[in-house]
Amino acid sequence: MKTSKSFAVAGSVAAMALALSACGGGSTGSGSADGQTLRLALNQTETHPSYIALDNLGTKVSEATEGRLEVDVYANETLGAQQEAIQLVSDGSVEMAVVSGTQLENLNKDFQVFNLPQVFDSVEHQMSVVGDDEITGELYSSLEDQNLTVLGGLTQGTRSIYNTEGPVNTPADLDGMKIRVQESDVQLKMIELMGGAPTPMAFGEVYTALQSGVIDGAENNEISYLTQKHNEVAKYYSNTDHLVGLDYVVINTDVYEAMSEEDRATFEEQWETAVEEHTELWLSETEKAHEELEASGTEFNDVDNEAFRTALEPLIDEYVTSETAQKLYDAARAAAE
Ligand code: GCU
């Protein structure tokens, strides 16, 4: 059942991408007589910091290249959920996407390190690591055999558990609760260790699953909890702060390499600016989201953070096993001190 449904989704997404590409151009980006449009797949709303920063990137790139390059952000999973979107970028039907690190760990296990709890202490720490070429250079080019280049990271902020039943204080409170996770080994194991029963599912399906009782809870940052309206159907948000999550922006490698040297330099420069803008927006929008949530009935509670921390410790030994993973982990931790 599940398989046939996801095939159907992938099929319709591919058909949509083909239709888009038929109106726009070929596999090196949809071209027009005087410019090339890079379509970017995003699973967030137009009010989310990632949409705002990437839409601004599009405006600035277009201005700076006098229309030779455009970036068009398609919000709300219109080009598919992340699992489909990454395939579409890889095969060149779509040029760019924002995907969670959890998707990239399915393509190269080395990405798992940055998806683990207790690797990043804060958004600032995370961004100093993922923006450092010396640490991430090889990792970001490791998917080029799949025609994917990682431009860099955008923070997902601090993630916590929320649910429909009541406040969670300790791992024991999650016993028997079905908690939605992203499609990733690390996430499955993480929720198991935190005491819940993990249920993998695409982001866009979570609202209905919470509403219908298919799941009892999920975990995310306050911005996504609010912009996806999950607060309407799961009002208990418990500050487990278990993970500083990470998104990546990926681009089709052929498309990237086909840019003129000048336009690529402009694009890269504007990308750096977009990352800075995103991080700043992230911090201010998180505060605003928190206030709005408090005012509209979300019940926040603090938890026994030490109990969750101890429960999650085994994850590091379980996933930091290869030499590359160890190097990435050590570099991340060294930057925290
Ligand atoms: C965050 C993240 C998304 C991810 C989502 C999820 O909102 O920014 O990239 O898809 O969490 O939990 O699926």
Side-chain angles (χ1 to χ4, degrees):
M1 281 275 286
K2 190 164 182 295
T3 321
S4 63
K5 182 172 176 233
S6 46
F7 274 131
V9 171
S12 64
V13 168
M16 183 183 348
L18 272 179
L20 274 165
S21 123
C23 354
S27 66
T28 50
S30 66
S32 64
D34 45 9
Q36 178 189 28
T37 302
L38 308 175
R39 290 156 303 190
L40 187 154
L42 178 68
N43 64 358
Q44 310 286 353
T45 62
E46 278 113 345
T47 52
H48 188 278
S50 299
Y51 181 89
I52 297 169
L54 293 166
D55 189 48
N56 286 344
L57 164 78
T59 308
K60 289 183 189 155
V61 164
S62 168
E63 272 167 22
T65 62
E66 294 167 338
R68 288 189 302 280
L69 275 183
E70 308 267 346
V71 178
D72 251 3
V73 185
Y74 287 77
N76 300 313
E77 290 188 358
T78 8
L79 294 181
Q82 289 186 351
Q83 226 169 25
E84 288 91 44
I86 189 92
Q87 278 320 118
L88 294 174
V89 176
S90 171
D91 73 24
S93 315
V94 166
E95 291 73 35
M96 295 173 72
V98 175
V99 289
S100 180
T102 52
Q103 298 297 335
L104 297 190
E105 79 171 54
N106 297 326
L107 305 179
N108 171 5
K109 283 202 158 80
D110 293 334
F111 281 94
Q112 283 175 331
V113 178
F114 291 163
N115 296 339
L116 291 168
Q118 300 168 18
V119 168
F120 300 120
D121 297 345
S122 64
V123 168
E124 292 85 348
H125 169 221
Q126 177 188 57
M127 293 318 289
S128 76
V129 174
V130 306
D132 183 338
D133 244 16
E134 285 195 10
I135 301 176
T136 55
E138 272 180 43
L139 184 69
Y140 289 178
S141 54
S142 68
L143 303 175
E144 283 171 4
D145 59 345
Q146 297 172 64
N147 221 347
L148 295 168
T149 297
V150 177
L151 278 177
L154 295 177
T155 194
Q156 295 179 357
T158 306
R159 299 177 71 115
S160 283
I161 299 266
Y162 50 91
N163 79 94
T164 57
E165 302 296 308
V168 164
N169 293 293
T170 65
D173 295 335
L174 283 172
D175 189 28
M177 275 201 201
K178 284 200 204 120
I179 305 295
R180 176 269 174 170
V181 290
Q182 301 172 65
E183 304 96 329
S184 118
D185 269 7
V186 167
Q187 285 258 311
L188 279 168
K189 194 70 210 221
M190 177 183 83
I191 289 299
E192 267 169 28
L193 290 173
M194 290 175 80
T199 307
M201 181 180 294
F203 191 46
E205 292 171 24
V206 178
Y207 183 97
T208 312
L210 285 167
Q211 193 179 38
S212 63
V214 166
I215 52 173
D216 305 303
E219 53 83 52
N220 221 312
N221 54 65
E222 287 159 274
I223 293 179
S224 289
Y225 173 62
L226 177 65
T227 52
Q228 294 297 308
K229 300 193 165 73
H230 294 173
N231 60 317
E232 290 178 0
V233 283
K235 76 168 185 176
Y236 301 97
Y237 191 101
S238 305
N239 301 319
T240 49
D241 292 343
H242 55 273
L243 176 70
V244 183
L246 182 60
D247 279 334
Y248 295 93
V249 176
V250 294
I251 184 165
N252 177 279
T253 305
D254 289 342
V255 168
Y256 198 40
E257 287 178 352
M259 286 180 193
S260 72
E261 225 169 275
E262 186 196 346
D263 287 352
R264 190 158 142 179
T266 304
F267 184 80
E268 280 169 5
E269 195 184 313
Q270 294 303 334
W271 160 251
E272 299 295 328
T273 308
V275 174
E276 279 168 30
E277 184 188 353
H278 183 270
T279 307
E280 274 171 34
L281 256 178
W282 189 270
L283 300 171
S284 57
E285 287 299 305
T286 298
E287 271 180 40
K288 278 198 218 154
H290 187 81
E291 281 165 22
E292 192 172 333
L293 288 165
E294 272 199 322
S296 60
T298 295
E299 295 206 13
F300 286 98
N301 73 284
D302 288 332
V303 307
D304 181 349
N305 290 104
E306 208 33 53
F308 282 105
R309 199 179 164 79
T310 310
L312 286 167
E313 257 162 21
L315 272 185
I316 302 290
D317 280 348
E318 185 163 346
Y319 287 100
V320 183
T321 48
S322 72
E323 208 179 303
T324 311
Q326 189 69 51
K327 253 172 70 185
L328 290 168
Y329 177 78
D330 291 345
R333 293 313 304 158
E337 283 141 22

Short mmCIF file of all heavy atoms in Angstrom, two decimals, residues 43-44 48 82 98-100 156 159 180 182 203 219-221 224 247, ligand 1:
data_model
loop_
_atom_site.label_atom_id
_atom_site.label_comp_id
_atom_site.label_asym_id
_atom_site.label_seq_id
_atom_site.Cartn_x
_atom_site.Cartn_y
_atom_site.Cartn_z
N ASN A 43 9.61 22.40 0.69
CA ASN A 43 8.40 21.85 1.31
C ASN A 43 7.80 22.76 2.39
O ASN A 43 6.96 22.33 3.17
CB ASN A 43 8.69 20.45 1.89
CG ASN A 43 9.71 20.48 3.01
OD1 ASN A 43 10.25 21.53 3.36
ND2 ASN A 43 9.99 19.32 3.59
N GLN A 44 8.24 24.01 2.42
CA GLN A 44 7.74 24.95 3.43
C GLN A 44 6.78 25.95 2.80
O GLN A 44 6.72 26.07 1.58
CB GLN A 44 8.91 25.73 4.05
CG GLN A 44 10.06 24.89 4.53
CD GLN A 44 9.80 24.13 5.83
OE1 GLN A 44 8.75 24.33 6.47
NE2 GLN A 44 10.71 23.26 6.21
N HIS A 48 7.91 30.95 5.60
CA HIS A 48 9.04 30.31 6.28
C HIS A 48 10.35 31.01 5.89
O HIS A 48 10.51 31.43 4.74
CB HIS A 48 9.06 28.83 5.85
CG HIS A 48 10.05 27.99 6.59
ND1 HIS A 48 11.38 27.94 6.26
CD2 HIS A 48 9.89 27.13 7.63
CE1 HIS A 48 12.01 27.10 7.08
NE2 HIS A 48 11.12 26.59 7.92
N GLN A 82 10.29 15.83 -0.16
CA GLN A 82 11.75 15.85 -0.31
C GLN A 82 12.33 14.59 -0.96
O GLN A 82 13.27 14.67 -1.74
CB GLN A 82 12.41 16.09 1.05
CG GLN A 82 12.18 17.51 1.53
CD GLN A 82 12.94 17.82 2.81
OE1 GLN A 82 13.51 16.93 3.44
NE2 GLN A 82 12.95 19.08 3.20
N VAL A 98 15.60 22.21 -1.52
CA VAL A 98 16.01 22.21 -0.12
C VAL A 98 15.63 20.84 0.42
O VAL A 98 14.47 20.43 0.30
CB VAL A 98 15.26 23.28 0.70
CG1 VAL A 98 15.62 23.16 2.18
CG2 VAL A 98 15.58 24.67 0.19
N VAL A 99 16.61 20.14 0.94
CA VAL A 99 16.30 18.83 1.54
C VAL A 99 16.95 18.74 2.91
O VAL A 99 18.01 19.30 3.16
CB VAL A 99 16.78 17.64 0.68
CG1 VAL A 99 15.95 17.49 -0.57
CG2 VAL A 99 18.25 17.73 0.36
N SER A 100 16.29 18.01 3.77
CA SER A 100 16.82 17.81 5.11
C SER A 100 18.03 16.88 5.03
O SER A 100 18.10 16.01 4.14
CB SER A 100 15.71 17.18 5.95
OG SER A 100 16.16 16.95 7.25
N GLN A 156 17.86 24.24 10.64
CA GLN A 156 16.46 23.89 10.98
C GLN A 156 16.18 24.28 12.42
O GLN A 156 15.15 23.92 12.98
CB GLN A 156 16.23 22.38 10.87
CG GLN A 156 16.34 21.78 9.52
CD GLN A 156 16.11 20.25 9.56
OE1 GLN A 156 15.92 19.65 10.62
NE2 GLN A 156 16.14 19.64 8.40
N ARG A 159 15.00 21.36 17.57
CA ARG A 159 13.77 20.57 17.42
C ARG A 159 13.33 19.99 18.77
O ARG A 159 14.17 19.58 19.56
CB ARG A 159 13.99 19.45 16.39
CG ARG A 159 14.34 19.99 15.01
CD ARG A 159 14.63 18.87 14.01
NE ARG A 159 13.46 18.13 13.63
CZ ARG A 159 12.94 18.11 12.38
NH1 ARG A 159 13.50 18.83 11.42
NH2 ARG A 159 11.88 17.39 12.11
N ARG A 180 5.92 10.75 14.62
CA ARG A 180 6.37 10.84 13.22
C ARG A 180 7.86 11.22 13.17
O ARG A 180 8.31 12.08 13.91
CB ARG A 180 5.56 11.90 12.47
CG ARG A 180 6.03 12.14 11.03
CD ARG A 180 7.08 13.24 10.93
NE ARG A 180 7.62 13.36 9.57
CZ ARG A 180 8.39 14.35 9.17
NH1 ARG A 180 8.73 15.31 10.00
NH2 ARG A 180 8.87 14.38 7.95
N GLN A 182 11.28 11.75 10.16
CA GLN A 182 11.67 11.84 8.76
C GLN A 182 12.18 10.46 8.34
O GLN A 182 12.49 9.62 9.18
CB GLN A 182 12.76 12.89 8.59
CG GLN A 182 12.33 14.27 9.06
CD GLN A 182 13.50 15.24 9.07
OE1 GLN A 182 14.06 15.56 8.04
NE2 GLN A 182 13.87 15.69 10.25
N PHE A 203 6.84 15.16 5.30
CA PHE A 203 6.47 16.36 6.07
C PHE A 203 5.01 16.76 5.81
O PHE A 203 4.25 17.02 6.74
CB PHE A 203 7.42 17.46 5.61
CG PHE A 203 7.43 18.72 6.42
CD1 PHE A 203 7.47 18.71 7.81
CD2 PHE A 203 7.45 19.96 5.77
CE1 PHE A 203 7.53 19.89 8.53
CE2 PHE A 203 7.51 21.14 6.49
CZ PHE A 203 7.54 21.11 7.86
N GLU A 219 8.13 15.74 15.85
CA GLU A 219 9.16 16.60 16.45
C GLU A 219 9.62 17.57 15.39
O GLU A 219 9.78 17.20 14.23
CB GLU A 219 10.31 15.78 17.06
CG GLU A 219 10.99 14.75 16.16
CD GLU A 219 12.06 15.35 15.27
OE1 GLU A 219 12.94 16.04 15.79
OE2 GLU A 219 11.99 15.14 14.03
N ASN A 220 9.74 18.83 15.78
CA ASN A 220 10.19 19.84 14.84
C ASN A 220 10.51 21.13 15.60
O ASN A 220 10.34 21.21 16.81
CB ASN A 220 9.14 20.10 13.75
CG ASN A 220 9.80 20.25 12.38
OD1 ASN A 220 10.76 21.00 12.24
ND2 ASN A 220 9.30 19.53 11.39
N ASN A 221 10.97 22.12 14.83
CA ASN A 221 11.22 23.44 15.42
C ASN A 221 9.89 24.20 15.52
O ASN A 221 8.90 23.83 14.89
CB ASN A 221 12.24 24.20 14.55
CG ASN A 221 11.77 24.27 13.10
OD1 ASN A 221 10.75 24.90 12.81
ND2 ASN A 221 12.46 23.59 12.22
N SER A 224 8.37 25.57 12.03
CA SER A 224 7.62 24.62 11.20
C SER A 224 6.33 24.16 11.88
O SER A 224 5.31 23.95 11.22
CB SER A 224 8.48 23.40 10.86
OG SER A 224 9.48 23.78 9.95
N ASP A 247 19.17 21.58 7.18
CA ASP A 247 18.74 21.43 5.79
C ASP A 247 19.94 21.72 4.89
O ASP A 247 20.88 22.42 5.29
CB ASP A 247 17.65 22.45 5.45
CG ASP A 247 16.26 22.03 5.91
OD1 ASP A 247 16.03 20.81 6.03
OD2 ASP A 247 15.43 22.91 6.14
C1 GCU B 1 12.03 20.96 9.06
C2 GCU B 1 13.02 21.04 7.94
C3 GCU B 1 12.50 20.35 6.68
C4 GCU B 1 12.04 18.95 7.01
C5 GCU B 1 11.04 18.97 8.12
C6 GCU B 1 10.59 17.57 8.49
O1 GCU B 1 10.91 21.77 8.78
O2 GCU B 1 13.35 22.38 7.67
O3 GCU B 1 13.49 20.29 5.70
O4 GCU B 1 11.49 18.34 5.89
O5 GCU B 1 11.60 19.60 9.25
O6 GCU B 1 10.49 17.27 9.67
O7 GCU B 1 10.33 16.79 7.58
#
